[in-house]
Amino acid sequence: MKTIQAYRFALDLTPGQERDVLAHAGAARVAHNWALARVKAVMDQRAAERTYGVPEEMLTPTVSWTLPALRKAWNVAKPDVAPWWRECSKEAFNTGLDALARALKNWADSRSGKRAGRPVGFPGFKSRRRSIASVRFSTGTIRVESDRKHVVLPRLGRLKLHECARKLARRIDNGTARIMSACVRRDGGRWHVAFCVEVERPERLPARPGAVLGVDVGIRHLAVLSTGELIDNPRYLTSAHQRMRALARALARKTGPDRRTGRRASKRWERAAARLGRAHTRVANLRRDGLHKLTTRLTREYATVVIEDLNVAGMLANRKLGRHIADAGFAEIRRQLTYKTGWNGGRLILADRWYPSSKTCSGCGVVKTKLALSEREYQCGSCGLVLDRDLNAARNLAALAADATTAGSGPAAGRGADRKTPLAGLVALKRQPGTAPAGQTGTVSPQGETANRVLARAH
Ligand SMILES: [Zn+2]
């Protein structure tokens, strides 16, 4: 199975190498800003001409904003715009132009409705102070040295890795990996190189080919598995919160930058900002490490994993819960499970966003109309089952796997798409007034279409 995968390593740059990389990142920014100004000038000119009533065919001609067109225009203009262009690799300018071409395409597609998800804004100019320094090389000498402690990149030469690259080097040596590009980037105060690699992965089967696992993600426990296992929520951000508040307070007391007066930040402010940034990076690193270990373990073991299709973007908007949900990384769990089930020969089933996994009894299938968030125990009125609320939900999710047909319920749908899990054994009934099943006397909530849809066994 061929996949595109990233291998990312921390770098130890010498001061001279750091200057070189920053010069390349600056070159990318210059090309980006120059091309953006050119596209904007033509767009503004056309808009102005339209207001004067100039007919459509007499307007200033449009400029193409595809990458080849931008590159061609840049190569004509670069002796004037950047007389120093020979000092940097052409890949540096390509990095900036490529970013712009993508940004403009995303903006245009979003405006014409071709792109799902949130609206994308018009690209802005990049600033030396605010943008993340990065440069991507896609041609030339890109290799990992045989000592596995150094990488060689065009123009930048031999860079020392902070960690050993043996995982990637082994794959390259036995011919199952091919480096397509390398991106050097500064994030969280540290330089990284990320290789975009085409990897030939061996076909794998999960350790338990027939096994089904329901995963109920939450805040109290990061995940409750249908096997009864509880995965603790480490709450990295909560534990680091106090220190971060202190760092943020210390930062606020120092002389920061002011865009109105053009005041530069003080050295102390910059050092304090870096300290706060490192604290955030540490939280992100801990979280990513924990989630990867969890999702790898689950997808290596179980052939079918069922999770709920949660509206994470909507939940993040909740002021009280948003921080905790972001800290737990719900969306990241789902993203990792999606591709890792593919790598390990399993499949992921997404339960419909409106599927009442918490309200259904995992013993007899009766659906409660009301279940307060404070009720931590699920108590069934018809069969007398008493079970932890989240474990009940996880078991219901696992049971969905038997009902869901294989077709159409594999990997996650694209962003913005609202795909429903087909349920073979369950049909949706619209409840009519006075037809509530025995034992359920709840009223239908007036605004919720969720409450109107009751799932009942068809057979
Ligand atoms: Zn029951």
Side-chain angles (χ1 to χ4, degrees):
M1 178 173 65
K2 272 215 164 94
T3 54
I4 305 286
Q5 228 179 299
Y7 283 82
R8 186 163 165 267
F9 304 105
L11 286 168
D12 282 334
L13 297 183
T14 65
Q17 289 170 338
E18 191 172 350
R19 268 199 304 279
D20 285 351
V21 181
L22 282 173
H24 276 75
R29 205 173 53 235
V30 165
H32 174 277
N33 287 347
W34 171 83
L36 177 59
R38 182 167 162 273
V39 169
K40 245 178 115 114
V42 172
M43 286 171 74
D44 291 348
Q45 176 68 26
R46 284 170 65 89
E49 286 168 1
R50 277 206 191 92
T51 61
Y52 304 145
V54 177
E56 205 60 23
E57 64 278 3
M58 302 277 285
L59 292 179
T60 306
T62 53
V63 286
S64 166
W65 57 49
T66 59
L67 178 58
L70 290 179
R71 218 155 37 189
K72 207 169 158 192
W74 168 256
N75 282 331
V76 174
K78 71 186 175 187
D80 300 324
V81 183
W84 41 265
W85 62 270
R86 262 175 251 269
E87 291 166 29
C88 290
S89 163
K90 69 179 190 325
E91 298 278 340
F93 305 109
N94 190 55
T95 304
L97 298 176
D98 182 43
L100 180 67
R102 282 168 200 250
L104 286 167
K105 183 177 185 303
N106 289 343
W107 168 74
D109 285 353
S110 174
R111 251 169 52 118
S112 63
K114 258 192 274 175
R115 190 179 198 276
R118 267 187 232 180
V120 176
F122 192 76
F125 290 100
K126 284 184 193 285
S127 128
R128 181 161 66 93
R129 294 180 193 286
R130 273 171 295 126
S131 56
I132 290 170
S134 84
V135 58
R136 176 185 296 275
F137 298 92
S138 52
T139 55
T141 324
I142 303 172
R143 66 165 193 271
V144 180
E145 291 270 65
S146 51
D147 65 357
R148 298 172 177 187
K149 290 276 176 65
H150 293 83
V151 293
V152 175
L153 296 179
R155 282 298 180 107
L156 301 176
R158 196 159 173 267
L159 310 177
K160 188 180 173 299
L161 292 174
H162 185 70
E163 49 199 327
C164 183
R166 65 175 174 279
K167 281 202 166 173
L168 175 58
R170 263 192 224 130
R171 279 201 175 275
I172 293 173
D173 290 346
N174 66 23
T176 56
R178 191 170 64 86
I179 297 178
M180 296 162 75
S181 66
C183 183
V184 182
R185 176 186 152 100
R186 184 174 58 188
D187 35 15
R190 166 154 254 161
W191 288 96
H192 287 94
V193 59
F195 293 101
C196 182
V197 184
E198 190 184 57
V199 178
E200 179 67 47
R201 293 184 73 88
E203 298 292 336
R204 265 223 192 104
L205 279 178
R208 298 169 58 190
V212 176
L213 181 73
V215 182
D216 181 74
V217 292
I219 292 172
R220 186 166 302 231
H221 293 285
L222 179 59
V224 175
L225 310 184
S226 55
T227 54
E229 189 187 338
L230 308 173
I231 314 268
D232 255 350
N233 185 351
R235 304 195 189 212
Y236 300 111
L237 186 62
T238 313
S239 56
H241 200 226
Q242 216 168 8
R243 182 176 147 70
M244 283 190 179
R245 281 180 57 179
L247 287 172
R249 225 165 27 235
L251 179 67
R253 286 197 212 100
K254 296 180 173 62
T255 315
D258 191 333
R259 289 181 74 189
R260 271 177 312 147
T261 57
R263 185 181 67 190
R264 294 271 187 90
S266 70
K267 284 279 174 223
R268 281 163 189 251
W269 184 92
E270 278 173 4
R271 281 201 296 268
R275 271 198 291 274
L276 180 58
R278 276 200 298 276
H280 276 288
T281 309
R282 183 178 154 73
V283 168
N285 289 346
L286 287 168
R287 185 187 295 140
R288 187 170 47 228
D289 182 53
L291 291 184
H292 269 299
K293 282 173 180 158
L294 171 66
T295 53
T296 297
R297 178 164 72 88
L298 299 185
T299 51
R300 284 211 177 141
E301 189 168 348
Y302 295 92
T304 306
V305 181
V306 191
I307 57 165
E308 255 173 316
D309 176 17
L310 296 168
N311 175 15
V312 178
M315 286 157 73
L316 289 179
N318 181 323
R319 288 174 62 96
K320 269 190 189 157
L321 288 177
R323 175 154 45 91
H324 298 288
I325 288 165
D327 191 21
F330 286 2
E332 184 64 12
I333 293 179
R334 175 180 147 178
R335 189 188 72 87
Q336 291 181 6
L337 284 177
T338 306
Y339 74 81
K340 286 186 187 175
T341 43
W343 283 1
N344 290 297
R347 64 174 178 149
L348 180 75
I349 295 176
L350 282 180
D352 179 340
R353 192 167 289 181
W354 311 118
Y355 172 64
S357 61
S358 299
K359 292 179 186 166
T360 309
C361 171
S362 59
C364 65
V366 162
V367 183
K368 283 196 185 192
T369 44
K370 273 185 183 166
L371 187 70
L373 258 176
S374 56
E375 284 176 53
R376 299 310 309 169
E377 290 246 296
Y378 186 91
Q379 295 179 342
C380 180
S382 37
C383 72
L385 177 88
V386 178
L387 194 63
D388 175 73
R389 172 203 181 96
D390 297 330
L391 181 55
N392 179 55
R395 285 196 184 162
N396 283 326
L397 288 172
L400 260 186
D403 293 332
T405 47
T406 332
S409 56
R415 293 200 312 122
D418 201 1
R419 196 196 285 197
K420 311 270 192 228
T421 308
L423 299 171
L426 298 169
V427 289
L429 296 180
K430 184 158 182 164
R431 199 196 300 159
Q432 300 300 319
T435 57
Q440 289 184 25
T441 49
T443 47
V444 175
S445 115
Q447 340 100 355
E449 72 263 45
T450 50
N452 275 333
R453 295 180 55 214
V454 180
L455 289 161
R457 295 263 160 195
H459 39 265

